[in-house]
Amino acid sequence: MHEEKMTHATVIETRESTYAVDIEVSGYKLKGDEPLSVGGANLGPAPYDILLAALGECTAMTVRWFAIQRNWPLDKVEVELTHHKDDVNNSPRPVDIFTKKIILHGDALTDDQRAKLIEIAAKCPVQRTLEATPVIHTTS
């Protein structure tokens, strides 16, 4: 186990709503909840909201890192994302569908640089985790 790379999070119910939780991860405090439509009080992002945001954050950071390594004139990167579930190819249950739209700002970027940055956007670590088969151990 790579202890130095281990991230730790604590999630505790707050009872502010049926599903409200306080989240502490890497020294940051967040609040999570479900929307009103499913019994929460909408006090914070829902779990899939946070997952989608993590994918977008990782994508933007990966693109920025790559541009820095090559000293490319990327002014700003934006990532617009969606998530939904849908039946795909007669799957026995709905499949998670994520879409990412990458918006690259930088008039001096060449077409080749833009294409490479879009290619790199698909290689962010969070996307690779979602595409892989992670192992989750549950204990009490």
Side-chain angles (χ1 to χ4, degrees), residues 52-68 74 76-81 100-104 117 120-122 124-127:
L52 192 63
L55 177 60
E57 176 184 15
C58 184
T59 299
M61 290 175 170
T62 299
V63 169
R64 171 56 61 196
W65 173 85
F66 194 86
I68 288 169
L74 175 64
K76 181 171 70 172
V77 60
E78 294 180 52
V79 184
E80 295 177 1
L81 304 100
K100 298 192 307 184
K101 178 180 178 184
I102 314 299
I103 303 157
L104 302 172
L117 291 171
I120 291 302
C124 84
V126 170
Q127 181 166 336

Side-chain angles (χ1 to χ4, degrees), residues 84-100:
H84 69 281
K85 292 180 180 276
D86 202 353
D87 293 321
V88 177
N89 299 330
N90 299 320
S91 58
R93 61 179 185 242
V95 173
D96 291 285
I97 310 291
F98 293 89
T99 60
K100 298 192 307 184

